């Protein structure tokens, strides 16, 4: 009998498992399933970026690097961020290369939170935010966003959710799973609030290049925000590099230094091979990224149109690669909808509640899969809806 569970810390034992993983486990064993569940690009990393990784190996670049990341990559990140987002970061002490945004967010929270501190974040959101906060013995404070606002963060709701002890605000624009973004006017209001309440902002901008409507604005570029924002970014989504596990954080030196301490003891450094590939992505990856973005846009337009035709009201996501249809017209809750759809038609969508309670009544459909598969999934969803509605 395995009773080793008694060794697991209370705050880990009580963490729920990711709802997304459960679904993947079922889908991966199913024949002929069509998955709209996956949260990663269906594209293979562009060849010139893979070639850079191969060249690194061929040349025997197989060592550790500086804990902060290679000088070359930090220089490129500094240039890229200044050019595309505004703020200038010193590669010496304001940039840290990490194992994806996942690690960047984790070490940021671990570097700044004391037990009992509170962290504001908007829901529905990426599955790891609340658990990452809990792992720091801190308290996650969700701010609900609603479908009537296309899930945009309402500064008034943020203000209402605030309570004493809030130290960090996590933002994610464009948002997984809703595709929401924030324009400059909204960000200015959020920034004003962050300054007033002396919050450190963790801005997860991993989908920023995949913005379909309007220009992406980083909160770090707004007046008074550079010194209280950690800009988190990576290569997984825009360059289709999930398996390279590479990302970065840019922010004020003292916070980056705190993160570096956590990083150097826990991780040491990101893989040198991935770092060399990332340099190539930043130098020459723009065209392939734009090509992929246009493909996502076509698929977005198609899937949103089809959901609405099928009677599942769906707003058009302004960024990222997820549609978030309202499934309440079926009288099923999110989990039952996803389970029954999978059983009946072998189509996988993720229940909105996997992204927090505010996701109730919705399901997430990723359009980072081929047009043909999306088309097939919509046909099957149509058949499923017929059965649900007409018995
Ligand atoms: N942040 C958001 C909003 C995401 O959706 C994801 C992955 O799905 C991540 C971070 C993790 O990205 P990475 O692969 O850089 O760790």
């Amino acid at each position: 009998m395995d009773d080793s569970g008694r060794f697991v810390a209370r705050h880990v034992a009580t963490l729920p498992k990711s709802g997304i993983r459960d679904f993947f486990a079922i889908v991966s064993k199913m024949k002929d399933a069509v998955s709209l569940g996956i949260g990663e690009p269906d594209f293979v990393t562009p060849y010139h970026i893979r070639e850079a990784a191969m060249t690194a190996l061929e040349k025997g670049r197989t060592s550790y690097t500086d804990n902060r990341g290679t000088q070359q990559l930090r220089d490129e990140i500094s240039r890229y961020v200044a050019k595309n987002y505004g703020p200038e970061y010193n590669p010496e002490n304001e940039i840290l290369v990490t194992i994806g945004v996942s690690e960047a967010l984790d070490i940021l929270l671990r570097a700044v939170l004391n037990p009992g501190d509170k962290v504001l974040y908007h829901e529905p959101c990426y599955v790891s935010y609340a658990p990452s906060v809990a792992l720091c013995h801190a308290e996650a404070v969700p701010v609900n966003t609603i479908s009537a606002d296309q899930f945009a963060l309402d500064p008034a709701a943020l203000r209402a959710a605030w309570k004493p002890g809030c130290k960090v605000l996590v933002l994610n624009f464009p948002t997984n799973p809703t595709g929401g973004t924030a324009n400059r006017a909204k960000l200015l209001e959020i920034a004003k609030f962050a300054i007033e309440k002396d919050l450190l902002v963790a801005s997860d901008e991993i989908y920023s290049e995949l913005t379909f409507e309007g220009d992406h604005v980083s909160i770090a570029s707004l007046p008074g925000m550079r010194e209280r924002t950690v800009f988190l970014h990576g290569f997984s989504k825009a360059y289709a590099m999930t398996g390279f596990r590479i990302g970065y954080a840019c922010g004020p030196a003292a916070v980056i230094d705190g993160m570096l301490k956590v990083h150097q003891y826990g991780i040491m450094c990101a893989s040198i091979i991935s770092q060399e590939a990332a340099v190539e992505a930043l130098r020459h990856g723009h065209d392939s990224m734009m090509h992929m973005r246009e493909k996502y846009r076509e698929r977005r337009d198609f899937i949103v149109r089809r959901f609405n035709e099928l009677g599942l009201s769906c707003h058009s996501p302004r960024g990222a690669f997820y549609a978030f249809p309202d499934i309440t017209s079926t009288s099923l809750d999110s989990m039952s909808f996803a389970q029954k759809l999978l059983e009946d038609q072998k189509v996988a969508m993720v229940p909105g509640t996997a992204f927090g309670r505010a996701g109730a009544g919705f399901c997430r459909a990723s359009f980072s899969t081929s047009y043909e598969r999306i088309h097939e999934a919509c046909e099957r969803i149509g058949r499923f809806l017929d059965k649900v509605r007409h018995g």
Side-chain angles (χ1 to χ4, degrees):
M1 190 186 93
D2 177 7
D3 59 354
S4 61
R6 70 187 188 285
F7 295 121
V8 177
R10 267 192 307 277
H11 71 300
V12 175
T14 51
L15 269 186
K17 282 229 183 84
S18 162
I20 299 188
R21 295 289 146 206
D22 293 350
F23 260 79
F24 280 153
I26 303 169
V27 178
S28 64
K29 292 196 187 93
M30 255 185 189
K31 263 197 177 163
D32 310 324
V34 183
S35 178
L36 303 179
I38 209 114
E40 65 177 315
D42 59 316
F43 297 103
V44 177
T45 310
Y47 186 75
H48 63 105
I49 299 176
R50 283 184 277 149
E51 203 174 30
M54 290 185 269
T55 306
L57 278 172
E58 216 168 63
K59 295 201 167 155
R61 299 211 180 102
T62 54
S63 62
Y64 290 135
T65 70
D66 187 312
N67 292 146
R68 297 167 296 172
T70 62
Q71 181 77 47
Q72 208 184 23
L73 179 53
R74 281 179 286 121
D75 287 346
E76 286 302 332
I77 290 169
S78 179
R79 267 194 286 275
Y80 184 80
V81 173
K83 180 167 170 230
N84 296 291
Y85 300 89
E88 292 187 7
Y89 293 101
N90 183 347
E92 292 312 312
N93 57 1
E94 294 183 320
I95 296 177
L96 178 61
V97 175
T98 59
I99 311 289
V101 171
S102 303
E103 192 224 343
L105 181 72
D106 178 49
I107 61 173
L108 168 59
L109 296 176
R110 286 203 277 156
V112 302
L113 292 175
N114 291 306
D117 283 342
K118 298 183 178 69
V119 178
L120 284 157
Y121 65 102
H122 50 109
E123 259 191 14
C125 68
Y126 179 47
V127 292
S128 86
Y129 294 161
S132 301
V133 172
L135 287 170
C136 294
H137 301 276
E139 187 188 324
V141 181
V143 185
N144 286 356
T145 60
I146 56 171
S147 65
D149 297 339
Q150 300 202 343
F151 295 100
L153 173 59
D154 175 7
L158 178 60
R159 195 169 279 279
W162 180 89
K163 33 183 161 168
C166 283
K167 184 172 187 180
V168 176
L169 168 63
V170 180
L171 297 176
N172 171 224
F173 302 124
T175 309
N176 173 10
T178 63
T181 55
N183 61 23
R184 183 179 294 277
K186 276 272 156 57
L187 284 177
L188 278 167
E189 281 185 69
I190 296 168
K192 189 169 161 242
F193 171 77
I195 292 169
E196 182 189 315
K197 299 295 185 194
D198 194 23
L199 297 171
L200 175 71
V201 175
S203 187
D204 176 349
E205 302 188 32
I206 193 164
Y207 293 101
S208 51
E209 290 96 341
L210 304 178
T211 298
F212 307 115
E213 246 66 72
D215 290 332
H216 174 83
V217 180
S218 174
I219 196 163
S221 68
L222 300 183
M225 291 309 292
R226 186 192 179 286
E227 53 269 43
R228 61 171 65 250
T229 302
V230 181
F231 172 87
L232 306 172
H233 202 0
F235 298 81
S236 289
K237 312 293 177 173
Y239 297 101
M241 290 175 67
T242 48
F244 284 83
R245 308 307 305 121
I246 187 95
Y248 54 92
C250 305
V255 175
I256 293 293
D257 191 53
M259 292 171 70
L260 176 59
K261 283 192 204 164
V262 184
H263 173 80
Q264 70 191 5
Y265 293 123
I267 298 288
M268 198 117 77
C269 66
S271 149
I272 188 170
I273 300 151
S274 300
Q275 293 192 55
E276 303 247 326
V279 167
E280 172 63 21
L282 291 179
R283 285 187 180 160
H284 304 119
H286 184 259
D287 289 354
S288 20
M289 182 170 77
M290 289 298 116
H291 170 76
M292 290 187 272
R293 186 176 75 180
E294 286 321 298
K295 291 283 165 214
Y296 293 133
R297 186 199 297 275
E298 284 167 21
R299 298 166 183 182
R300 174 197 69 158
D301 292 346
F302 175 75
I303 198 168
V304 168
R305 181 169 56 77
R306 288 295 291 130
F307 278 141
N308 283 303
E309 283 168 359
L310 291 168
L312 299 179
S313 165
C314 185
H315 68 273
S316 185
R318 302 172 71 85
F321 39 57
Y322 309 105
F324 205 55
D326 181 337
I327 51 90
T328 49
S329 64
T330 62
S331 304
L332 295 170
D333 63 41
S334 309
M335 183 56 94
S336 315
F337 181 94
Q339 274 169 345
K340 287 184 195 302
L341 177 63
L342 189 59
E343 280 160 23
D344 192 72
Q345 293 290 330
K346 298 189 179 172
V347 173
M349 283 168 66
V350 183
T353 41
F355 308 98
R357 262 178 296 189
F362 291 80
C363 279
R364 189 188 79 174
S366 163
F367 45 89
S368 59
T369 189
S370 72
Y371 179 82
E372 290 70 26
R373 293 183 80 72
I374 295 171
H375 187 273
E376 172 62 21
C378 289
E379 294 299 301
R380 294 188 192 189
I381 292 168
R383 289 199 282 276
F384 173 68
L385 291 172
D386 273 347
K387 282 195 199 170
V388 170
R389 289 180 181 139
H390 308 116

